Amino acid sequence: MLFMLQFVMGVLLIFSFIGYMQFVRKVLSIRWEFIPVFVFSSIACIAFLSGLAGQLYLGSLVLLIVGLLMYGGMVFLGLRRGASLRLSFSLFQFSFLAGTFIFLLVLFQNQLTHYDNFSHWAIVLKQMLSTDAFPTPDSSLIDFKNYPLGTSSFIYYVCRFMGHSQSVMLLAQGLLIFSCFYAMFGIVSEKKRFLLYAFLGLGLSTLSFFNLTIRITNLLVDFLLPIYALAILAVVYQYRHDIKRAYIIMLPLAGVLTVIKSTGIIFAAIGLIFLVYTWLTHRPKSSWRAALAVVGTICGTLIPYFGWSWRMATVFQGVDNKFDVAASGIQSGKTAEQMHEILWLFIKSSTDITTRPVIGIVIFQLVAVAASIFANVVLKKKWNLWKALIALDVVLLLYYAGILALYLFSMPLDEAIRLAGFERYASSIVVLFAGGLVLCAAIDLERSFHYRIGEVPDYQAFKTVKTKGHYQKGIIGCMAIAATILLSEYNGIVSIARTYDTTLPYKIHAVTGDRWYKDGQEDNNRYLFYASDRDQQVTNYYMQYVGKYFLYAPHVDGIVLFYEDNMDNLLSGYDYLVVVETDRNAKWLLKKHYGIDMQEGIYKITRSGERIILTLT
């Protein structure tokens, strides 16, 4: 019965999305490539602002109903006009939708495994779904309360109606990811030039190479940040001669980007700077109204950001948060020697040619330089790729300086001293760097054709038969390489799904189940988890975070070894012993002292006089 209800609600949610997309298409007349990301981002912003106002569920319900009314209205008007249902897709649209469907389908078969899902992203979403509200200072399950909830708000909206399983969470985030990629293809103006789509498909598929450490089988947002920024760049460029439409589309995109993560404001600023630059280079002579619109757009995009800042300053006043910026290195708890050690490790990591981020920077730098020289010397074309390279290099350097400042002055010492999360932070900016070069190269390639579409009949659209042959071979080559890269990504995601039963989350879920409590009431029992410390899964607190998520309990500790002299004293401090993995020594000790045959499961801990009793539940 529950499955059927979720299926029906899922269908209604899809119809609601379609209703919004059809409405946006009719009212704003924007390109289809930008509509999904515009709609999803608008929903995310409205749900986020509803959460700030304390009306997360009500706002989500209104969003669903309004979308359904729009869909119903479109169907009704179509029937009145006697219009028949017609679906037509270009070759590119069909290819992209087919590929997206395949990836979303395999995402739906995955479960969460990454550490940070359970330390923050998934647990905060579980609490939002349980309470229909944003976390409060009393939310003892949430350690990092200052992390913005932009993406979480959209995932909440989808999960509220489709079900709260981990696969639905991944599906919801997948919608955001692929809508951003679809928007990047909107940078193409000559839609009949399939080579441009094939080239973009090749270039953008390589971005997955820099996301292998986290892939898309998790709720982490480090990949969303740069692709959202790239989507904004595509929007601004495509509507550079219709800048008002660019303002409208950019509002929800940049707005939600500012609250995807604390560093999202940096990526949003990149898009806003490009918007201002585009406006300055294409503005009319009398442009005070346009200038006012630019200022209004910037202010509008910052509403979610300042809304979240206000919440942190009021609701969470006095609450210590991770990455609170200190005024100086001494106040950050780091000595001069420690800061020097962090600086040296940062420089070493930033220039290590064996790491993916550095490999990406070097390769795309060389390719961009070579392509610019080839275009100038051989094709006799003036490409703008070298200008984009300089601009992106400046962004790259400033971003790395910002990361260094984060480690020196803001991040806790135990994490800063080992550059925690460095590869993810670096990969984010490299995705933006590489993606920006790919978008610019696609524009230059489009401008390099001998004839523009519409100047001559389609059958004469090539300078010579030889150039037509090069065009066709280029399409085949780009598609073949892109398909190979995407197939590798697909196989990687499938492999993760197939090996899930070997992971720690699977083992814990098999013992505890996935517990959801009415009105988000936390389980305040004290749990002690027992397992081996393979891959430091206990000492790095991974097992404890996974246990907190599945049990929905804030008091979870872990142990890898029992000390015979202290067993009674240890167990008396807990209500339950959760055995995730067994070993010979622990079995012998529990048999000797408590008369039980140790196995995976949950044991109730009770005291009878001076005696500890373990009962398998």
Side-chain angles (χ1 to χ4, degrees):
M1 185 64 182
L2 179 61
F3 172 78
M4 286 302 300
L5 177 62
Q6 290 177 347
F7 176 78
V8 171
M9 293 304 298
V11 172
L12 292 178
L13 184 67
I14 293 173
F15 285 151
S16 178
F17 282 147
I18 295 174
Y20 281 117
M21 291 180 189
Q22 291 284 0
F23 178 80
V24 170
R25 175 69 173 178
K26 183 176 181 179
V27 174
L28 299 182
S29 299
I30 63 178
R31 295 179 54 142
W32 272 113
E33 290 89 345
F34 302 131
I35 291 177
V37 71
F38 177 81
V39 169
F40 295 156
S41 300
S42 299
I43 290 173
C45 284
I46 295 173
F48 176 80
L49 294 175
S50 299
L52 290 180
Q55 301 294 330
L56 185 59
Y57 176 72
L58 179 61
S60 299
L61 185 62
V62 170
L63 278 169
L64 177 70
I65 294 173
V66 171
L68 289 173
L69 291 175
M70 288 181 177
Y71 178 79
M74 294 294 178
V75 171
F76 176 74
L77 292 176
L79 293 175
R80 285 194 61 182
R81 293 195 300 264
S84 58
L85 178 63
R86 292 184 301 173
L87 294 176
S88 60
F89 299 101
S90 66
L91 178 59
F92 158 70
Q93 288 174 328
F94 177 81
S95 301
F96 187 88
L97 289 175
T100 299
F101 177 78
I102 292 173
F103 273 95
L104 291 180
L105 188 63
V106 72
L107 265 183
F108 197 68
Q109 300 171 10
N110 272 266
Q111 303 293 321
L112 301 175
T113 57
H114 194 281
Y115 182 101
D116 285 350
N117 287 309
F118 302 102
S119 67
H120 178 74
W121 299 107
I123 189 64
V124 75
L125 184 58
K126 187 171 186 177
Q127 184 163 83
M128 288 169 63
L129 289 166
S130 299
T131 61
D132 289 317
F134 283 176
T136 65
D138 298 327
S139 303
S140 54
L141 280 164
I142 313 300
D143 286 347
F144 313 125
K145 297 181 176 67
N146 62 330
Y147 281 21
L149 302 174
T151 306
S152 301
S153 297
F154 179 79
I155 300 175
Y156 165 88
Y157 173 73
V158 175
C159 292
R160 170 47 58 213
F161 303 110
M162 283 190 67
H164 50 229
S165 67
Q166 295 179 12
S167 55
V168 176
M169 297 177 186
L170 290 172
L171 178 66
Q173 181 141 309
L175 292 177
L176 292 177
I177 291 172
F178 286 99
S179 67
C180 286
F181 276 109
Y182 189 45
M184 293 179 213
F185 286 94
I187 206 167
V188 176
S189 297
E190 298 191 358
K191 296 183 178 182
K192 293 184 178 181
R193 301 284 193 187
F194 192 74
L195 175 61
L196 298 173
Y197 290 113
F199 174 80
L200 269 177
L202 168 60
L204 297 179
S205 64
T206 61
L207 301 185
S208 63
F209 175 78
F210 307 106
N211 198 44
L212 286 182
T213 53
I214 54 176
R215 291 195 183 271
I216 59 174
T217 55
N218 61 84
L219 301 180
L220 279 69
V221 298
D222 302 89
F223 193 52
L224 268 174
L225 295 173
I227 62 176
Y228 245 101
L230 291 171
I232 290 174
L233 298 182
V235 168
V236 174
Y237 177 81
Q238 185 57 243
Y239 288 112
R240 62 195 182 281
H241 299 302
D242 188 3
I243 203 71
K244 292 181 180 178
R245 192 165 273 111
Y247 299 157
I248 295 172
I249 301 173
M250 191 169 179
L251 273 172
L253 269 69
V256 73
L257 181 54
T258 63
V259 289
I260 287 179
K261 196 176 181 180
S262 56
T263 53
I265 190 69
I266 299 174
F267 291 88
I270 294 171
L272 290 171
I273 290 171
F274 185 65
L275 174 70
V276 173
Y277 169 79
T278 303
W279 168 70
L280 290 174
T281 54
H282 293 85
R283 62 177 176 173
K285 293 181 180 179
S286 179
S287 57
W288 66 270
R289 291 183 179 178
L292 195 61
V294 170
V295 175
T297 301
I298 295 174
C299 293
T301 59
L302 293 176
I303 289 176
Y305 176 78
F306 285 120
W308 183 254
S309 299
W310 171 82
R311 179 178 174 82
M312 288 296 100
T314 55
V315 178
F316 290 89
Q317 186 177 15
V319 177
D320 292 331
N321 287 306
K322 189 178 181 181
F323 302 158
D324 281 340
V325 178
S328 69
I330 299 299
Q331 289 179 324
S332 68
K334 302 180 183 72
T335 64
E337 292 77 10
Q338 289 169 339
M339 296 181 72
H340 183 270
E341 183 180 352
I342 293 170
L343 176 61
W344 173 248
L345 182 59
F346 181 86
I347 295 174
K348 182 181 177 182
S349 302
S350 301
T351 56
D352 185 357
I353 194 63
T354 63
T355 60
R356 290 182 186 274
V358 178
I359 290 174
I361 293 172
V362 172
I363 290 178
F364 277 90
Q365 290 270 5
L366 295 176
V367 171
V369 171
S372 299
I373 295 174
F374 177 82
N376 187 55
V377 176
V378 178
L379 301 180
K380 306 300 181 182
K381 299 288 185 179
K382 292 184 179 181
W383 281 15
N384 292 322
L385 186 60
W386 65 273
K387 297 179 182 179
L389 178 62
I390 294 174
L392 289 168
D393 277 333
V394 172
V395 171
L396 193 69
L397 292 174
L398 291 175
Y399 184 84
Y400 268 92
I403 297 177
L404 177 59
L406 173 71
Y407 286 119
L408 291 176
F409 305 115
S410 181
M411 188 174 287
L413 177 61
D414 62 328
E415 296 187 23
I417 206 72
R418 55 186 173 86
L419 298 188
F422 174 78
E423 188 171 358
R424 293 210 313 272
Y425 297 146
S427 293
S428 292
I429 195 61
V430 174
V431 168
L432 178 67
F433 176 79
L437 291 176
V438 169
L439 292 181
C440 185
I443 295 170
D444 286 334
L445 183 62
E446 184 178 52
R447 293 170 52 246
S448 297
F449 286 107
H450 188 73
Y451 294 111
R452 306 289 293 179
I453 293 294
E455 290 181 350
V456 293
D458 289 349
Y459 67 90
Q460 297 178 350
F462 298 93
K463 184 178 181 181
T464 65
V465 174
K466 185 177 181 180
T467 57
K468 183 176 182 179
H470 293 325
Y471 178 90
Q472 294 171 335
K473 292 176 182 177
I475 292 177
I476 295 173
C478 289
M479 290 184 64
I481 300 174
T484 302
I485 296 173
L486 293 177
L487 183 60
S488 174
E489 180 72 6
Y490 171 83
N491 288 333
I493 297 175
V494 170
S495 176
I496 292 173
R498 289 176 177 171
T499 58
Y500 178 68
D501 58 359
T502 65
T503 64
L504 183 65
Y506 172 84
K507 294 177 182 178
I508 293 179
H509 180 265
V511 173
T512 65
D514 190 3
R515 303 184 182 184
W516 294 75
Y517 296 101
K518 186 178 181 181
D519 299 325
Q521 182 64 42
E522 297 176 359
D523 181 353
N524 287 313
N525 288 303
R526 299 186 64 84
Y527 292 88
L528 178 66
F529 276 64
Y530 184 90
S532 69
D533 200 26
R534 184 179 62 255
D535 299 325
Q536 295 185 320
Q537 62 186 14
V538 180
T539 53
N540 68 6
Y541 216 70
Y542 180 37
M543 183 176 70
Q544 293 89 315
Y545 276 129
V546 178
K548 283 184 177 183
Y549 175 84
F550 284 120
L551 289 172
Y552 203 70
H555 307 298
V556 174
D557 293 318
I559 190 173
V560 299
L561 182 68
F562 285 117
Y563 293 96
E564 189 171 5
D565 295 340
N566 192 47
M567 289 181 65
D568 284 357
N569 182 54
L570 173 68
L571 293 175
S572 63
Y574 296 91
D575 301 301
Y576 292 93
L577 170 66
V578 182
V579 179
V580 179
E581 297 173 345
T582 62
D583 58 65
R584 182 179 300 177
N585 181 65
K587 283 186 175 183
W588 180 78
L589 287 174
L590 264 64
K591 181 68 174 178
K592 175 182 178 181
H593 289 270
Y594 309 111
I596 63 172
D597 294 320
M598 185 182 186
Q599 58 182 302
E600 288 84 0
I602 302 177
Y603 291 85
K604 174 68 176 175
I605 302 173
T606 56
R607 179 181 287 274
S608 178
E610 296 297 322
R611 184 185 174 198
I612 296 293
I613 300 175
L614 300 181
T615 307
L616 184 63
T617 60

